[in-house]
Amino acid sequence: MSVQTPISRKEPKHLSARYKEKRRGHRMNSRVPVRLEWDSQKGKRVQVEAHTRVINPYGCMVVLEHDLHLDHRVALTNLAMNSSNAAVVVWKSDERPEGGWEYGIELVAPAMDFWGLEL
């Protein structure tokens, strides 16, 4: 009889309380063009276009060169559907070797057809 050692899982460093909840909805790898907008600390409006890596009915994952903090409020626009929604940063990766960060973005009031895909 062999003894099995329990596998320890590393908890990602940058989690907000909201992200620690169980994931909701089916996730899908999908490259959707999006625009994120927010106000900088100096009050200037920042607009950045990017593509999602993963989507679900409640949000997405994007890679940005900008250093945002958890719980940062943004406006997320799905450029393919021309629909916008208030959103918040709920997860942030460590800085990537090639630069930038991956972000988990949660829609504040998600419309189930926001992505134009059946999830």
Side-chain angles (χ1 to χ4, degrees), residues 61-110:
M61 180 193 299
V62 296
V63 175
L64 299 174
E65 298 297 318
H66 297 270
D67 187 6
L68 301 176
H69 56 82
L70 290 177
D71 296 324
H72 197 103
R73 296 281 222 168
V74 299
L76 179 70
T77 301
N78 175 344
L79 297 174
M81 297 294 295
N82 198 28
S83 58
S84 295
N85 203 314
V88 64
V89 175
V90 295
W91 179 81
K92 179 181 180 182
S93 72
D94 289 329
E95 189 169 6
R96 298 162 16 116
E98 62 273 21
W101 294 264
E102 293 177 325
Y103 291 99
I105 307 294
E106 181 179 279
L107 299 171
V108 172

Side-chain angles (χ1 to χ4, degrees), residues 4 11 15 20 34 38 47 52-53 81 86 89 93 112:
Q4 292 184 351
E11 184 92 10
L15 289 177
K20 289 181 183 177
V34 293
W38 66 89
Q47 290 187 7
T52 62
R53 288 189 155 191
M81 297 294 295
V89 175
S93 72
M112 290 299 119

